[in-house]
Amino acid sequence: KEWALTRAAEAAEAKHDSAKLIIYSELAIEANPKAYSPMLMEAAELARSTRENDLDKDDKLSKAEKLAHQAMEIIPTAVKPNPQIPDEQWEGIKKDYLGDAHRDLGMVASVRKKYDVAIGEYKEASTIAAHPDPAVYIRLAGAYTDNKQPDEALAVLAKVTIPALKPFVDKETKRAQDLKAALKK
């Protein structure tokens, strides 16, 4: 049951259907309270979709934080879902999940305007993951810019060379350059 509900949550995530992602994630967690993948999907969605003026902003961010921390407690001792996965590969997968948890905590901190905390979480996400998500570097750069550290933001953005992310890199680069120019005045 958990497996099917997690797949449904993944499908909702692919369709950018926030409401269904949260519903299916909740049901998967209800079916298995140690289901860390839906915990991370829901935490990410809550952090990503929460806006500055949401009336339930604190509740949503607190829930996202709680889910990310719960997943972080479960992942290190998680059992391989398939015994055919080599141990080394499984360790890498667990590190990627832990990176996702730190990314989610970084997003929560960014929404709360705690940019120094966000920077720490994004850095941790990029170093702990076996296969770091390049989008984390863009989020890290954004947190640096929001924290009035444009030089650090530009240094991080220079490392992102994936063509599909170029529009996002360009946008963050412009923000950092604009801030840098404004700080010189």
Side-chain angles (χ1 to χ4, degrees):
K1 186 174 179 180
E2 169 209 342
W3 181 86
L5 291 166
T6 300
R7 300 297 80 76
E10 288 170 352
E13 182 178 44
K15 289 180 165 182
H16 304 289
D17 188 337
S18 181
K20 284 186 181 174
L21 183 151
I22 291 170
I23 290 167
Y24 287 127
S25 293
E26 289 281 328
L27 292 170
I29 295 165
E30 190 178 301
N32 177 4
K34 292 188 179 230
Y36 51 87
S37 179
M39 286 178 190
L40 293 174
M41 281 191 287
E42 184 174 353
E45 186 59 34
L46 288 169
R48 187 175 23 254
S49 64
T50 301
R51 300 289 172 247
E52 177 67 31
N53 296 318
D54 286 356
L55 296 177
D56 58 349
K57 172 183 161 187
D58 291 331
D59 293 339
K60 288 163 73 175
L61 295 177
S62 294
K63 184 170 185 176
E65 239 174 1
K66 179 183 173 200
L67 289 166
H69 284 295
Q70 280 180 312
M72 289 171 79
E73 290 174 15
I74 296 166
I75 292 166
T77 57
V79 179
K80 280 193 277 188
N82 181 344
Q84 295 178 351
I85 297 174
D87 289 344
E88 185 178 304
Q89 184 180 357
W90 177 237
E91 290 305 312
I93 291 168
K94 291 195 302 186
K95 286 180 180 181
D96 287 342
Y97 277 121
L98 288 171
D100 290 348
H102 284 287
R103 175 207 59 211
D104 298 346
L105 292 172
M107 288 191 296
V108 167
S110 289
V111 175
R112 287 188 169 144
K113 298 186 185 297
K114 295 181 179 181
Y115 303 119
D116 54 333
V117 174
I119 289 167
E121 292 295 347
Y122 291 138
K123 281 183 174 179
E124 186 67 20
S126 67
T127 57
I128 199 169
H131 306 95
D133 178 0
V136 168
Y137 295 110
I138 297 170
R139 291 182 187 281
L140 173 59
Y144 273 131
T145 300
D146 291 335
N147 205 39
K148 310 238 183 294
Q149 296 175 274
D151 291 329
E152 289 83 349
L154 293 169
V156 169
L157 290 167
K159 297 176 186 176
V160 182
T161 59
I162 297 171
L165 296 178
K166 186 172 180 352
F168 303 104
V169 171
D170 290 348
K171 179 182 174 187
E172 281 304 321
T173 299
K174 181 170 177 9
R175 272 189 358 114
Q177 288 171 339
D178 290 349
L179 174 63
K180 189 173 180 173
L183 291 175
K184 284 184 180 180
K185 292 181 181 180

